[in-house]
mmCIF file of all heavy atoms in Angstrom:
data_model
loop_
_atom_site.group_PDB
_atom_site.id
_atom_site.type_symbol
_atom_site.label_atom_id
_atom_site.label_comp_id
_atom_site.label_asym_id
_atom_site.label_seq_id
_atom_site.Cartn_x
_atom_site.Cartn_y
_atom_site.Cartn_z
ATOM 1 N N GLU A 1 45.066 34.914 223.469
ATOM 2 C CA GLU A 1 45.740 35.110 224.760
ATOM 3 C C GLU A 1 45.191 36.359 225.421
ATOM 4 O O GLU A 1 45.262 37.455 224.856
ATOM 5 C CB GLU A 1 47.254 35.250 224.558
ATOM 6 C CG GLU A 1 48.031 35.474 225.850
ATOM 7 C CD GLU A 1 49.521 35.599 225.603
ATOM 8 O OE1 GLU A 1 50.085 34.697 224.958
ATOM 9 O OE2 GLU A 1 50.104 36.603 226.043
ATOM 10 N N GLY A 2 44.618 36.200 226.621
ATOM 11 C CA GLY A 2 44.138 37.349 227.387
ATOM 12 C C GLY A 2 43.070 38.164 226.688
ATOM 13 O O GLY A 2 43.071 39.386 226.755
ATOM 14 N N GLY A 3 42.133 37.494 225.987
ATOM 15 C CA GLY A 3 41.065 38.226 225.327
ATOM 16 C C GLY A 3 41.482 38.861 224.017
ATOM 17 O O GLY A 3 40.730 39.692 223.483
ATOM 18 N N SER A 4 42.636 38.496 223.487
ATOM 19 C CA SER A 4 43.123 39.079 222.237
ATOM 20 C C SER A 4 43.508 37.971 221.269
ATOM 21 O O SER A 4 43.991 36.900 221.671
ATOM 22 C CB SER A 4 44.341 39.976 222.496
ATOM 23 O OG SER A 4 43.992 41.074 223.285
ATOM 24 N N LEU A 5 43.293 38.257 220.000
ATOM 25 C CA LEU A 5 43.764 37.381 218.936
ATOM 26 C C LEU A 5 45.209 37.738 218.616
ATOM 27 O O LEU A 5 45.555 38.913 218.520
ATOM 28 C CB LEU A 5 42.897 37.582 217.685
ATOM 29 C CG LEU A 5 43.466 37.041 216.365
ATOM 30 C CD1 LEU A 5 43.482 35.517 216.366
ATOM 31 C CD2 LEU A 5 42.685 37.582 215.183
ATOM 32 N N ARG A 6 46.063 36.707 218.456
ATOM 33 C CA ARG A 6 47.453 36.917 218.092
ATOM 34 C C ARG A 6 47.718 36.197 216.771
ATOM 35 O O ARG A 6 47.510 34.999 216.652
ATOM 36 C CB ARG A 6 48.387 36.362 219.172
ATOM 37 C CG ARG A 6 48.449 37.193 220.430
ATOM 38 C CD ARG A 6 49.095 36.454 221.592
ATOM 39 N NE ARG A 6 50.155 35.553 221.174
ATOM 40 C CZ ARG A 6 51.459 35.841 221.206
ATOM 41 N NH1 ARG A 6 51.844 37.024 221.627
ATOM 42 N NH2 ARG A 6 52.363 34.954 220.849
ATOM 43 N N ILE A 7 48.177 36.990 215.778
ATOM 44 C CA ILE A 7 48.593 36.442 214.491
ATOM 45 C C ILE A 7 50.095 36.693 214.378
ATOM 46 O O ILE A 7 50.532 37.844 214.246
ATOM 47 C CB ILE A 7 47.846 37.078 213.316
ATOM 48 C CG1 ILE A 7 46.328 36.922 213.504
ATOM 49 C CG2 ILE A 7 48.286 36.460 211.993
ATOM 50 C CD1 ILE A 7 45.501 37.588 212.422
ATOM 51 N N ALA A 8 50.899 35.642 214.487
ATOM 52 C CA ALA A 8 52.351 35.762 214.451
ATOM 53 C C ALA A 8 52.862 35.326 213.082
ATOM 54 O O ALA A 8 52.520 34.241 212.599
ATOM 55 C CB ALA A 8 52.982 34.907 215.545
ATOM 56 N N VAL A 9 53.661 36.178 212.455
ATOM 57 C CA VAL A 9 54.263 35.888 211.142
ATOM 58 C C VAL A 9 55.772 35.814 211.339
ATOM 59 O O VAL A 9 56.394 36.802 211.766
ATOM 60 C CB VAL A 9 53.889 36.967 210.110
ATOM 61 C CG1 VAL A 9 54.547 36.658 208.772
ATOM 62 C CG2 VAL A 9 52.380 37.067 209.951
ATOM 63 N N ARG A 10 56.344 34.638 211.028
ATOM 64 C CA ARG A 10 57.779 34.465 211.236
ATOM 65 C C ARG A 10 58.446 34.035 209.937
ATOM 66 O O ARG A 10 57.913 33.222 209.180
ATOM 67 C CB ARG A 10 58.049 33.400 212.299
ATOM 68 C CG ARG A 10 59.556 33.155 212.444
ATOM 69 C CD ARG A 10 59.921 32.127 213.436
ATOM 70 N NE ARG A 10 61.371 31.961 213.478
ATOM 71 C CZ ARG A 10 62.008 31.193 214.324
ATOM 72 N NH1 ARG A 10 61.325 30.498 215.227
ATOM 73 N NH2 ARG A 10 63.323 31.088 214.280
ATOM 74 N N ASP A 11 59.648 34.607 209.697
ATOM 75 C CA ASP A 11 60.476 34.167 208.574
ATOM 76 C C ASP A 11 61.793 33.648 209.129
ATOM 77 O O ASP A 11 62.099 33.800 210.309
ATOM 78 C CB ASP A 11 60.694 35.313 207.580
ATOM 79 C CG ASP A 11 61.484 36.461 208.190
ATOM 80 O OD1 ASP A 11 62.703 36.299 208.410
ATOM 81 O OD2 ASP A 11 60.882 37.533 208.470
ATOM 82 N N TYR A 12 62.593 33.060 208.250
ATOM 83 C CA TYR A 12 63.893 32.512 208.641
ATOM 84 C C TYR A 12 65.000 33.181 207.827
ATOM 85 O O TYR A 12 65.955 32.546 207.396
ATOM 86 C CB TYR A 12 63.905 30.994 208.431
ATOM 87 C CG TYR A 12 62.871 30.294 209.264
ATOM 88 C CD1 TYR A 12 61.601 30.032 208.740
ATOM 89 C CD2 TYR A 12 63.134 29.926 210.569
ATOM 90 C CE1 TYR A 12 60.632 29.411 209.506
ATOM 91 C CE2 TYR A 12 62.175 29.292 211.336
ATOM 92 C CZ TYR A 12 60.909 29.045 210.805
ATOM 93 O OH TYR A 12 59.958 28.436 211.576
ATOM 94 N N GLY A 13 64.797 34.502 207.589
ATOM 95 C CA GLY A 13 65.738 35.275 206.779
ATOM 96 C C GLY A 13 66.927 35.771 207.578
ATOM 97 O O GLY A 13 67.344 35.170 208.575
ATOM 98 N N SER A 14 67.418 36.913 207.154
ATOM 99 C CA SER A 14 68.655 37.449 207.730
ATOM 100 C C SER A 14 68.450 38.142 209.070
ATOM 101 O O SER A 14 69.411 38.461 209.768
ATOM 102 C CB SER A 14 69.304 38.435 206.751
ATOM 103 O OG SER A 14 68.372 39.453 206.409
ATOM 104 N N GLY A 15 67.192 38.406 209.432
ATOM 105 C CA GLY A 15 66.938 39.055 210.722
ATOM 106 C C GLY A 15 67.306 40.527 210.701
ATOM 107 O O GLY A 15 67.472 41.150 209.638
ATOM 108 N N MET A 16 67.462 41.129 211.912
ATOM 109 C CA MET A 16 67.772 42.558 212.011
ATOM 110 C C MET A 16 68.552 42.813 213.291
ATOM 111 O O MET A 16 68.462 42.049 214.255
ATOM 112 C CB MET A 16 66.483 43.390 212.005
ATOM 113 C CG MET A 16 65.610 43.193 213.240
ATOM 114 S SD MET A 16 63.998 43.970 213.090
ATOM 115 C CE MET A 16 63.182 42.739 212.072
ATOM 116 N N ASN A 17 69.329 43.922 213.281
ATOM 117 C CA ASN A 17 70.098 44.284 214.467
ATOM 118 C C ASN A 17 69.225 45.080 215.442
ATOM 119 O O ASN A 17 68.085 45.454 215.127
ATOM 120 C CB ASN A 17 71.359 45.063 214.094
ATOM 121 C CG ASN A 17 71.047 46.302 213.269
ATOM 122 O OD1 ASN A 17 70.033 46.968 213.496
ATOM 123 N ND2 ASN A 17 71.908 46.600 212.293
ATOM 124 N N GLU A 18 69.783 45.387 216.641
ATOM 125 C CA GLU A 18 69.000 46.063 217.682
ATOM 126 C C GLU A 18 68.629 47.489 217.295
ATOM 127 O O GLU A 18 67.544 47.967 217.612
ATOM 128 C CB GLU A 18 69.775 46.062 219.005
ATOM 129 C CG GLU A 18 69.886 44.698 219.651
ATOM 130 C CD GLU A 18 68.532 44.101 219.983
ATOM 131 O OE1 GLU A 18 67.612 44.865 220.312
ATOM 132 O OE2 GLU A 18 68.399 42.872 219.890
ATOM 133 N N SER A 19 69.531 48.200 216.616
ATOM 134 C CA SER A 19 69.230 49.593 216.236
ATOM 135 C C SER A 19 68.080 49.630 215.241
ATOM 136 O O SER A 19 67.197 50.492 215.316
ATOM 137 C CB SER A 19 70.478 50.256 215.646
ATOM 138 O OG SER A 19 70.906 49.566 214.481
ATOM 139 N N ALA A 20 68.067 48.671 214.271
ATOM 140 C CA ALA A 20 66.959 48.625 213.324
ATOM 141 C C ALA A 20 65.664 48.218 214.012
ATOM 142 O O ALA A 20 64.587 48.751 213.721
ATOM 143 C CB ALA A 20 67.294 47.656 212.191
ATOM 144 N N ARG A 21 65.729 47.280 214.965
ATOM 145 C CA ARG A 21 64.537 46.847 215.692
ATOM 146 C C ARG A 21 63.910 48.007 216.471
ATOM 147 O O ARG A 21 62.680 48.120 216.545
ATOM 148 C CB ARG A 21 64.897 45.711 216.645
ATOM 149 C CG ARG A 21 63.704 45.119 217.393
ATOM 150 C CD ARG A 21 64.187 44.128 218.451
ATOM 151 N NE ARG A 21 64.917 43.030 217.833
ATOM 152 C CZ ARG A 21 64.323 41.923 217.367
ATOM 153 N NH1 ARG A 21 63.012 41.801 217.440
ATOM 154 N NH2 ARG A 21 65.054 40.960 216.841
ATOM 155 N N ALA A 22 64.773 48.877 217.035
ATOM 156 C CA ALA A 22 64.248 49.995 217.825
ATOM 157 C C ALA A 22 63.529 51.022 216.965
ATOM 158 O O ALA A 22 62.684 51.763 217.454
ATOM 159 C CB ALA A 22 65.382 50.666 218.602
ATOM 160 N N ARG A 23 63.842 51.076 215.662
ATOM 161 C CA ARG A 23 63.256 52.118 214.797
ATOM 162 C C ARG A 23 62.306 51.553 213.752
ATOM 163 O O ARG A 23 61.952 52.252 212.793
ATOM 164 C CB ARG A 23 64.380 52.895 214.111
ATOM 165 C CG ARG A 23 65.361 53.557 215.061
ATOM 166 C CD ARG A 23 66.390 54.352 214.281
ATOM 167 N NE ARG A 23 65.767 55.387 213.470
ATOM 168 C CZ ARG A 23 66.395 56.046 212.500
ATOM 169 N NH1 ARG A 23 67.644 55.758 212.218
ATOM 170 N NH2 ARG A 23 65.771 56.971 211.793
ATOM 171 N N LEU A 24 61.899 50.296 213.903
ATOM 172 C CA LEU A 24 61.117 49.631 212.872
ATOM 173 C C LEU A 24 59.853 50.397 212.480
ATOM 174 O O LEU A 24 59.509 50.481 211.307
ATOM 175 C CB LEU A 24 60.723 48.231 213.350
ATOM 176 C CG LEU A 24 61.711 47.109 213.039
ATOM 177 C CD1 LEU A 24 61.205 45.805 213.626
ATOM 178 C CD2 LEU A 24 61.908 46.972 211.541
ATOM 179 N N PHE A 25 59.168 50.948 213.475
ATOM 180 C CA PHE A 25 57.854 51.534 213.220
ATOM 181 C C PHE A 25 57.909 53.046 213.051
ATOM 182 O O PHE A 25 56.868 53.697 213.068
ATOM 183 C CB PHE A 25 56.895 51.168 214.357
ATOM 184 C CG PHE A 25 56.690 49.686 214.476
ATOM 185 C CD1 PHE A 25 57.376 48.941 215.425
ATOM 186 C CD2 PHE A 25 55.824 49.029 213.627
ATOM 187 C CE1 PHE A 25 57.187 47.581 215.533
ATOM 188 C CE2 PHE A 25 55.635 47.658 213.726
ATOM 189 C CZ PHE A 25 56.320 46.927 214.673
ATOM 190 N N GLU A 26 59.104 53.605 212.880
ATOM 191 C CA GLU A 26 59.213 55.031 212.593
ATOM 192 C C GLU A 26 58.882 55.287 211.132
ATOM 193 O O GLU A 26 59.272 54.521 210.254
ATOM 194 C CB GLU A 26 60.627 55.539 212.898
ATOM 195 C CG GLU A 26 60.998 55.498 214.368
ATOM 196 C CD GLU A 26 62.387 56.059 214.599
ATOM 197 O OE1 GLU A 26 62.953 56.634 213.647
ATOM 198 O OE2 GLU A 26 62.903 55.916 215.730
ATOM 199 N N SER A 27 58.166 56.393 210.910
ATOM 200 C CA SER A 27 57.854 56.745 209.528
ATOM 201 C C SER A 27 59.126 57.060 208.763
ATOM 202 O O SER A 27 60.049 57.712 209.283
ATOM 203 C CB SER A 27 56.907 57.949 209.493
ATOM 204 O OG SER A 27 55.694 57.636 210.143
ATOM 205 N N PHE A 28 59.194 56.562 207.514
ATOM 206 C CA PHE A 28 60.302 56.810 206.577
ATOM 207 C C PHE A 28 61.595 56.106 206.989
ATOM 208 O O PHE A 28 62.644 56.418 206.448
ATOM 209 C CB PHE A 28 60.560 58.317 206.393
ATOM 210 C CG PHE A 28 59.348 59.083 205.964
ATOM 211 C CD1 PHE A 28 58.699 59.937 206.852
ATOM 212 C CD2 PHE A 28 58.824 58.922 204.683
ATOM 213 C CE1 PHE A 28 57.565 60.637 206.460
ATOM 214 C CE2 PHE A 28 57.688 59.612 204.296
ATOM 215 C CZ PHE A 28 57.054 60.475 205.171
ATOM 216 N N PHE A 29 61.518 55.188 207.941
ATOM 217 C CA PHE A 29 62.696 54.365 208.238
ATOM 218 C C PHE A 29 62.556 53.037 207.511
ATOM 219 O O PHE A 29 61.530 52.360 207.610
ATOM 220 C CB PHE A 29 62.829 54.119 209.736
ATOM 221 C CG PHE A 29 63.939 53.142 210.078
ATOM 222 C CD1 PHE A 29 65.258 53.563 210.047
ATOM 223 C CD2 PHE A 29 63.655 51.811 210.367
ATOM 224 C CE1 PHE A 29 66.279 52.666 210.345
ATOM 225 C CE2 PHE A 29 64.670 50.920 210.654
ATOM 226 C CZ PHE A 29 65.992 51.354 210.638
ATOM 227 N N THR A 30 63.573 52.642 206.769
ATOM 228 C CA THR A 30 63.527 51.406 206.017
ATOM 229 C C THR A 30 64.919 50.795 205.940
ATOM 230 O O THR A 30 65.928 51.505 205.998
ATOM 231 C CB THR A 30 62.982 51.642 204.599
ATOM 232 O OG1 THR A 30 62.956 50.399 203.903
ATOM 233 C CG2 THR A 30 63.851 52.620 203.829
ATOM 234 N N THR A 31 64.956 49.465 205.833
ATOM 235 C CA THR A 31 66.223 48.766 205.647
ATOM 236 C C THR A 31 66.385 48.298 204.205
ATOM 237 O O THR A 31 67.356 47.621 203.877
ATOM 238 C CB THR A 31 66.285 47.550 206.585
ATOM 239 O OG1 THR A 31 65.177 46.692 206.321
ATOM 240 C CG2 THR A 31 66.243 47.991 208.044
ATOM 241 N N LYS A 32 65.395 48.637 203.358
ATOM 242 C CA LYS A 32 65.444 48.247 201.959
ATOM 243 C C LYS A 32 66.008 49.384 201.124
ATOM 244 O O LYS A 32 65.725 50.565 201.397
ATOM 245 C CB LYS A 32 64.047 47.879 201.451
ATOM 246 C CG LYS A 32 63.372 46.781 202.259
ATOM 247 C CD LYS A 32 61.966 46.544 201.741
ATOM 248 C CE LYS A 32 61.228 45.531 202.596
ATOM 249 N NZ LYS A 32 59.829 45.339 202.134
ATOM 250 N N ALA A 33 66.719 49.020 200.072
ATOM 251 C CA ALA A 33 67.324 50.055 199.227
ATOM 252 C C ALA A 33 66.261 50.863 198.503
ATOM 253 O O ALA A 33 66.432 52.072 198.261
ATOM 254 C CB ALA A 33 68.286 49.404 198.219
ATOM 255 N N ASP A 34 65.120 50.217 198.124
ATOM 256 C CA ASP A 34 64.075 50.910 197.376
ATOM 257 C C ASP A 34 62.807 51.095 198.195
ATOM 258 O O ASP A 34 61.732 51.308 197.642
ATOM 259 C CB ASP A 34 63.756 50.141 196.088
ATOM 260 C CG ASP A 34 63.362 48.688 196.393
ATOM 261 O OD1 ASP A 34 63.541 48.270 197.562
ATOM 262 O OD2 ASP A 34 62.896 47.995 195.475
ATOM 263 N N GLY A 35 62.895 50.978 199.523
ATOM 264 C CA GLY A 35 61.710 51.114 200.363
ATOM 265 C C GLY A 35 61.391 52.552 200.699
ATOM 266 O O GLY A 35 62.261 53.433 200.659
ATOM 267 N N LEU A 36 60.106 52.797 201.043
ATOM 268 C CA LEU A 36 59.675 54.143 201.436
ATOM 269 C C LEU A 36 59.673 54.331 202.947
ATOM 270 O O LEU A 36 59.654 55.456 203.428
ATOM 271 C CB LEU A 36 58.259 54.421 200.903
ATOM 272 C CG LEU A 36 58.104 54.422 199.378
ATOM 273 C CD1 LEU A 36 56.646 54.641 199.020
ATOM 274 C CD2 LEU A 36 58.971 55.497 198.762
ATOM 275 N N GLY A 37 59.644 53.259 203.715
ATOM 276 C CA GLY A 37 59.623 53.375 205.165
ATOM 277 C C GLY A 37 58.258 53.723 205.722
ATOM 278 O O GLY A 37 58.149 54.275 206.814
ATOM 279 N N LEU A 38 57.168 53.434 204.988
ATOM 280 C CA LEU A 38 55.819 53.768 205.454
ATOM 281 C C LEU A 38 54.990 52.533 205.793
ATOM 282 O O LEU A 38 53.982 52.629 206.472
ATOM 283 C CB LEU A 38 55.080 54.588 204.387
ATOM 284 C CG LEU A 38 55.626 55.984 204.125
ATOM 285 C CD1 LEU A 38 54.886 56.608 202.957
ATOM 286 C CD2 LEU A 38 55.487 56.853 205.358
ATOM 287 N N GLY A 39 55.383 51.345 205.258
ATOM 288 C CA GLY A 39 54.551 50.158 205.401
ATOM 289 C C GLY A 39 54.250 49.790 206.838
ATOM 290 O O GLY A 39 53.089 49.699 207.244
ATOM 291 N N LEU A 40 55.291 49.558 207.649
ATOM 292 C CA LEU A 40 55.075 49.145 209.028
ATOM 293 C C LEU A 40 54.435 50.241 209.861
ATOM 294 O O LEU A 40 53.661 49.975 210.786
ATOM 295 C CB LEU A 40 56.397 48.705 209.656
ATOM 296 C CG LEU A 40 56.944 47.359 209.166
ATOM 297 C CD1 LEU A 40 58.291 47.072 209.813
ATOM 298 C CD2 LEU A 40 55.959 46.239 209.473
ATOM 299 N N SER A 41 54.769 51.507 209.572
ATOM 300 C CA SER A 41 54.147 52.608 210.307
ATOM 301 C C SER A 41 52.649 52.638 210.076
ATOM 302 O O SER A 41 51.853 52.783 211.009
ATOM 303 C CB SER A 41 54.786 53.934 209.873
ATOM 304 O OG SER A 41 54.144 55.016 210.497
ATOM 305 N N ILE A 42 52.237 52.466 208.813
ATOM 306 C CA ILE A 42 50.800 52.449 208.515
ATOM 307 C C ILE A 42 50.155 51.209 209.114
ATOM 308 O O ILE A 42 49.033 51.263 209.655
ATOM 309 C CB ILE A 42 50.585 52.509 206.995
ATOM 310 C CG1 ILE A 42 51.030 53.877 206.461
ATOM 311 C CG2 ILE A 42 49.125 52.252 206.643
ATOM 312 C CD1 ILE A 42 50.971 54.013 204.967
ATOM 313 N N CYS A 43 50.832 50.052 209.056
ATOM 314 C CA CYS A 43 50.285 48.832 209.634
ATOM 315 C C CYS A 43 50.054 48.973 211.136
ATOM 316 O O CYS A 43 49.039 48.519 211.678
ATOM 317 C CB CYS A 43 51.224 47.662 209.360
ATOM 318 S SG CYS A 43 51.251 47.155 207.614
ATOM 319 N N ARG A 44 50.999 49.589 211.843
ATOM 320 C CA ARG A 44 50.797 49.798 213.275
ATOM 321 C C ARG A 44 49.609 50.723 213.521
ATOM 322 O O ARG A 44 48.810 50.496 214.435
ATOM 323 C CB ARG A 44 52.059 50.383 213.894
ATOM 324 C CG ARG A 44 51.845 50.873 215.322
ATOM 325 C CD ARG A 44 53.123 51.265 216.013
ATOM 326 N NE ARG A 44 53.759 50.089 216.623
ATOM 327 C CZ ARG A 44 54.777 50.161 217.473
ATOM 328 N NH1 ARG A 44 55.280 51.333 217.800
ATOM 329 N NH2 ARG A 44 55.306 49.074 217.993
ATOM 330 N N SER A 45 49.461 51.787 212.706
ATOM 331 C CA SER A 45 48.314 52.692 212.868
ATOM 332 C C SER A 45 47.012 51.930 212.668
ATOM 333 O O SER A 45 46.032 52.150 213.392
ATOM 334 C CB SER A 45 48.417 53.846 211.870
ATOM 335 O OG SER A 45 49.581 54.598 212.089
ATOM 336 N N ILE A 46 46.967 51.004 211.679
ATOM 337 C CA ILE A 46 45.752 50.216 211.451
ATOM 338 C C ILE A 46 45.471 49.336 212.668
ATOM 339 O O ILE A 46 44.329 49.231 213.144
ATOM 340 C CB ILE A 46 45.916 49.371 210.180
ATOM 341 C CG1 ILE A 46 45.965 50.283 208.935
ATOM 342 C CG2 ILE A 46 44.786 48.356 210.048
ATOM 343 C CD1 ILE A 46 46.268 49.558 207.653
#
């Protein structure tokens, strides 16, 4: 689309609320009990 490749990954899990969606890519923010909160931040940087 528009000169860009789009790879969309969708699940049918529990989803997320608006407050979590707004902070998804912040470093050290996680919704997992044992998560570090770095995965999505590093993925966005890549």
Side-chain angles (χ1 to χ4, degrees):
E1 179 180 307
S4 296
L5 164 69
R6 286 166 34 98
I7 304 177
V9 179
R10 176 181 179 175
D11 64 72
Y12 299 93
S14 56
M16 67 189 79
N17 56 37
E18 290 300 327
S19 61
R21 184 188 299 273
R23 302 183 59 194
L24 271 178
F25 298 99
E26 294 182 10
S27 299
F28 305 108
F29 173 77
T30 180
T31 58
K32 304 176 184 177
D34 56 350
L36 297 177
L38 293 174
L40 287 177
S41 176
I42 292 175
C43 289
R44 169 172 274 191
S45 299
I46 292 174

